[in-house]
Amino acid sequence: AAKQDIQELRVQIARRLEGLSPEDRRSKRGQQVFLESILVWEFGDEITTDPAFSSLTSQIQQAIEQEPAMSARFGDLLESL
């Protein structure tokens, strides 16, 4: 199957985030939803069965959190979706 376009990805992420409260969108849960969606979009559904998938998303989240400016921008992005 062809990779979905960026607009389809945005809609998919927005749908997943709709289930979260506004506070949760900016939280680690919102970040996790976003990162999982991006990784699946880029590498395919099979990445979710990799035992290292959860660790990978956690490592990315930690890297974002270590940079306050990046963390704030990421939170703003999640709220805008």
Side-chain angles (χ1 to χ4, degrees):
K3 186 188 291 190
Q4 59 186 327
D5 70 25
I6 198 78
Q7 185 58 35
E8 290 174 20
L9 174 63
R10 184 181 180 131
V11 168
Q12 176 187 1
I13 293 170
R15 280 191 197 130
R16 289 189 67 197
L17 290 173
E18 282 176 357
L20 302 178
S21 69
E23 298 81 29
D24 283 345
R25 280 186 178 220
R26 284 192 82 101
S27 73
K28 288 186 180 209
R29 181 64 191 127
Q31 292 175 5
Q32 182 181 10
V33 165
F34 182 87
L35 294 171
E36 288 173 357
S37 298
I38 295 293
L39 291 170
V40 166
W41 177 70
E42 184 63 33
F43 299 108
D45 289 331
E46 57 277 355
I47 193 171
T48 61
T49 62
D50 189 310
F53 182 67
S54 179
S55 176
L56 176 62
T57 59
S58 293
Q59 288 175 20
I60 296 168
Q61 282 178 299
Q62 288 172 3
I64 291 169
E65 289 170 1
Q66 289 176 357
E67 296 290 332
M70 183 183 298
S71 184
R73 289 181 70 193
F74 194 45
D76 292 345
L77 170 66
L78 293 174
E79 283 184 352
S80 74
L81 293 174

